[in-house]
Amino acid sequence: MDAGKVNRPTGGREARRLTARSGATSLKCKPRNAFAALLQSRIGAGSPLPCRPMISVSAPARDNLLDLTPADAESRLGGVLTEWGEPAYRAAQIARRLWMNPAPSFEAMTELPAALRTRLAERFTIPRLELVTHQLSSDGTQKFLFKLPDGEAIETVAIPDGGRLTLCISSQAGCALQCAFCATGAMGFTRNLLPHEIAGQVREMRLLDTPLGVTNIVFMGMGEPLMNWKAVSPVLTILNDPRGLGIGARHITISTVGILPGIVALGERPEQFRLAISVHAPTDELRQELMPINTKYPLADVIDAAREFERRVTFEYVMLGGVNDQPEHALGLAVLAQRCGAFVNLIPLHPGGALGFTPTPPDEIQRFARRMRSRGVEVAVRKSRGMDIAAACGQLRVERLRRRAPRSADEHGDVQVA
Ligand code: SAH
């Protein structure tokens, strides 16, 4: 731990940022539909939407309660319910049905009077994610493909392991980073997900006919979470807050290619969220070939950021046959891991990602692990899960929708770095 680093609580700043974000009420023109909401997310919540001439005085836009932290949602509800002359306990009662014991709709909140339910539905939204595909692997891994209102599709994977159930969630539709072995990278980037589209993936697990009790979250689905910090930061609050999904911060892992401002922002959060860094190569030369982002955030800077991070980090290292799995790579990786005290996860390549790579055979992965352990590094070899349902990053969507030509990060004005 770096004694010089002060862990500042960010509550006030976070609250201000959220107020600004969710300040749709203060905008001159509110999003009227999914397209307008999307447009607003692209041009930034702070800038008013270009208003159409006022031809009709239509119903005011409804606030999406699931884009707010639980505290903000409850206070937003509280304000409106007071105006309506409802009893004080109602706001907390309704807030509990957002995440803790989620209701599929206001209509389903049968503990409330019918008239109030109708009124709530006229004033607020609690959008569902539309489940289009649900697959179960022979090893118990389940994969979900959700369709968003603008036609985008995102994946979520549920991985049971002993008493744990880890949910691998997506933070962007597509990804701008184009890592050579990753199916999501090959499809290109479309847009950042909104808070409710990210946390909603966990909420949907509680709304299944057979609900899934998620114990752990990893941001290892589609996208780069630290390039969508504006949404991911409130999502972390929703996931962790006992009034939200109540998942312990140590059970929530952000995985990143090494977006430095994002790592700093995550480190400034007072909660014990975990950080995993996708390293995948021990030298800049090789890493650049596999991960184009390395030109912007070189390995030495990423390792420095991992050293500065208050909590122990994990390295993710996909084993690519004949590419990054040789003895010299094990040695180089061990040196990097020691430099920042990292725990190393060796990941068997999921075939069916991007083409042109072969998995390292299991016994060679073990040999690689032993080499690192002999240098005092803690290493785990990840089990490959969901092989029969193409559960690796981006694969389901690639199977269902045709691949697009990849676009480069530079083309994405709305890719947002923390
Ligand atoms: N952008 C973030 C999170 C999404 S990817 C990141 O890169 O960390 C989550 C993890 O899955 C990363 O470590 C990524 O390198 C790995 N991954 C991608 N494609 C894979 C594949 N075909 N087989 C195994 N792991 C893969």
Side-chain angles (χ1 to χ4, degrees):
M1 189 204 288
D2 180 352
K5 187 173 174 193
V6 182
N7 207 356
R8 293 191 304 274
T10 54
R13 186 157 37 114
E14 181 67 7
R16 279 195 299 282
R17 191 184 311 142
L18 280 168
T19 314
R21 231 209 102 260
S22 59
T25 44
S26 65
L27 291 177
K28 288 193 195 109
C29 188
K30 299 172 195 167
R32 290 180 188 82
N33 53 35
F35 174 73
L38 176 64
L39 180 62
Q40 185 159 83
S41 78
R42 283 175 184 264
I43 64 176
S47 18
L49 285 174
C51 288
R52 277 195 268 148
M54 294 295 256
I55 28 180
S56 69
V57 186
S58 53
R62 297 176 297 164
D63 285 340
N64 180 347
L65 291 175
L66 302 183
D67 271 341
L68 306 177
T69 61
D72 282 354
E74 191 173 325
S75 78
R76 186 74 58 91
L77 275 164
V80 170
L81 290 163
T82 307
E83 265 174 42
W84 293 349
E86 290 288 336
Y89 64 84
R90 284 275 189 237
Q93 184 187 20
I94 299 164
R96 280 195 292 275
R97 304 304 306 278
L98 299 180
W99 301 102
M100 285 168 79
N101 172 26
S105 63
F106 288 112
E107 193 46 40
M109 298 180 186
T110 48
E111 67 279 20
L112 304 177
L116 176 58
R117 283 183 265 153
T118 307
R119 220 170 169 194
L120 284 167
E122 285 165 3
R123 181 70 183 75
F124 298 108
T125 60
I126 47 170
R128 298 285 308 270
L129 303 183
E130 186 194 342
L131 182 58
V132 287
T133 309
H134 179 191
Q135 292 179 335
L136 174 64
S137 159
S138 54
D139 68 14
T141 302
Q142 297 186 56
K143 197 162 55 162
F144 304 85
L145 186 74
F146 294 106
K147 205 166 118 206
L148 305 177
D150 59 357
E152 285 304 317
I154 53 165
E155 298 178 357
T156 306
V157 180
I159 307 156
D161 190 12
R164 290 192 306 194
L165 182 70
T166 300
L167 200 69
C168 178
I169 61 175
S170 297
S171 55
Q172 297 181 315
C175 185
L177 299 174
Q178 295 181 41
C179 298
F181 46 82
C182 176
T184 306
M187 72 179 69
F189 173 83
T190 306
R191 69 171 173 92
N192 281 325
L193 298 184
L194 296 166
H196 78 275
E197 294 170 328
I198 305 173
Q201 296 165 58
V202 193
R203 186 175 191 269
E204 289 299 328
M205 298 301 116
R206 294 192 178 182
L207 288 168
L208 293 170
D209 290 343
T210 311
L212 293 183
V214 172
T215 59
N216 294 61
I217 303 282
V218 291
F219 283 75
M220 294 185 186
M222 294 164 64
E224 168 52 52
L226 295 184
M227 289 182 85
N228 185 14
W229 183 247
K230 178 174 150 189
V232 166
S233 182
V235 165
L236 289 173
T237 305
I238 294 168
L239 296 178
N240 179 236
D241 192 323
R243 293 161 299 177
L245 290 158
I247 298 168
R250 288 163 188 263
H251 296 161
I252 300 171
T253 302
I254 296 272
S255 180
T256 179
V257 292
I259 306 296
L260 299 180
I263 294 176
V264 172
L266 181 64
E268 284 181 348
R269 294 274 313 223
E271 305 94 334
Q272 302 281 302
F273 298 120
R274 290 186 182 274
L275 172 66
I277 297 180
S278 293
V279 176
H280 303 325
T283 61
D284 277 325
E285 200 185 1
L286 179 56
R287 195 167 189 262
Q288 231 141 278
E289 268 177 49
L290 299 173
M291 305 171 72
I293 192 73
N294 192 76
T295 50
K296 182 155 188 190
Y297 299 117
L299 206 41
D301 295 349
V302 173
I303 301 302
D304 278 351
R307 271 168 72 116
E308 292 287 312
F309 197 73
E310 293 264 338
R311 297 156 315 255
R312 188 179 193 192
V313 302
T314 299
F315 282 178
E316 307 285 302
Y317 195 91
V318 177
M319 300 295 293
L320 305 167
V323 175
N324 66 354
D325 60 352
Q326 301 302 301
E328 69 269 23
H329 299 128
L331 174 61
L333 186 60
V335 169
L336 296 180
Q338 274 167 334
R339 203 173 289 161
C340 58
F343 181 94
V344 177
N345 258 331
L346 300 179
I347 311 170
L349 175 71
H350 224 296
L355 307 172
F357 293 95
T358 47
T360 301
D363 55 332
E364 279 187 40
I365 298 184
Q366 292 300 343
R367 208 170 306 142
F368 192 97
R370 281 198 298 277
R371 279 208 172 86
M372 295 194 63
R373 285 189 195 114
S374 71
R375 307 201 147 254
V377 176
E378 269 188 272
V379 183
V381 177
R382 246 253 226 100
K383 279 183 268 178
S384 218
R385 303 292 302 268
M387 295 293 270
D388 49 344
I389 56 168
C393 190
Q395 287 184 2
L396 180 59
R397 189 188 135 132
V398 165
E399 275 182 5
R400 301 272 310 184
L401 312 175
R402 281 190 320 148
R403 278 182 190 220
R404 275 196 291 265
R407 294 187 287 164
S408 76
D410 296 338
E411 292 172 56
H412 309 299
D414 57 347
V415 173
Q416 188 216 351
V417 181

